[in-house]
Amino acid sequence: MSERFTKSAARNIFYGGSGFFFLVFLSLTAQSHWHILNRSTDTATLSPSVVNGKTIWEKNACINCHSLLGEGAYFAPELGNVWVRYGGKKDPKGARESLIAWIQSQPTGIEGRRQMPHFNLSDQDLNDLVDFLEWTSRINTQGWPPNDAG
């Protein structure tokens, strides 16, 4: 250790550096919190039915088989863009009816295919779940998933 780099200088660098990086950490945490509340969440379209749809999603553990915006299991298809895949942008009513009919028809009993359990959801729950999936499809995911197939 050189004569110029004393214990006192090392201590000052340690405390100064720790304080600096702690302030950087606090600033980034505050910025992330602000970004989540003000920019990345579409609160204007966050209706009670969307909130209930998310509750249904969580209560039935859909994420144990499906992924949503890349988060979750990969046993079943990604559902972040299922609204788009079912044509929801061009024909919202048709997409809603198709999604509900598909969910209600499960399990199909076709040999060799993955089967989704039947959840006995009410018509209101099904509509709320579809509202949640529609709301999810409008999140700016910066290109995720990379294709419509999920």
Side-chain angles (χ1 to χ4, degrees):
M1 187 179 293
S2 76
E3 295 296 324
R4 296 176 57 193
F5 192 67
T6 62
K7 281 185 172 181
S8 174
R11 184 178 55 237
N12 290 339
I13 290 171
F14 172 76
Y15 287 125
S18 296
F20 172 76
F21 284 109
F22 184 71
L23 289 175
V24 168
F25 173 75
L26 285 178
S27 299
L28 290 174
T29 301
Q31 194 277 338
S32 296
H33 184 72
W34 177 87
H35 182 79
I36 289 169
L37 290 179
N38 298 307
R39 301 197 75 193
S40 69
T41 302
D42 183 13
T43 55
T45 59
L46 195 57
S47 66
S49 65
V50 171
V51 172
N52 188 45
K54 184 176 186 285
T55 302
I56 293 164
W57 169 270
E58 293 169 343
K59 192 170 119 185
N60 291 292
C62 300
I63 205 161
N64 286 348
C65 295
H66 294 277
S67 60
L68 188 65
L69 307 177
E71 187 76 25
Y74 288 90
F75 180 74
E78 158 72 32
L79 295 183
N81 63 353
V82 70
W83 180 255
V84 175
R85 287 197 314 260
Y86 274 71
K89 286 184 175 178
K90 294 179 182 171
D91 183 14
K93 184 179 178 201
R96 176 174 299 277
E97 290 172 356
S98 297
L99 279 167
I100 289 173
W102 191 89
I103 293 169
Q104 288 176 324
S105 70
Q106 298 301 314
T108 59
I110 298 173
E111 291 285 328
R113 296 199 65 175
R114 297 177 194 166
Q115 301 292 309
M116 188 170 115
H118 189 75
F119 290 107
N120 294 318
L121 299 174
S122 69
D123 289 344
Q124 183 64 49
D125 286 348
L126 286 167
N127 276 300
D128 291 351
L129 183 59
V130 171
D131 285 345
F132 171 65
L133 294 173
E134 179 185 1
W135 183 83
T136 303
S137 75
R138 291 192 304 261
I139 294 173
N140 180 6
T141 59
Q142 301 174 352
W144 179 264
N147 56 49
D148 285 343

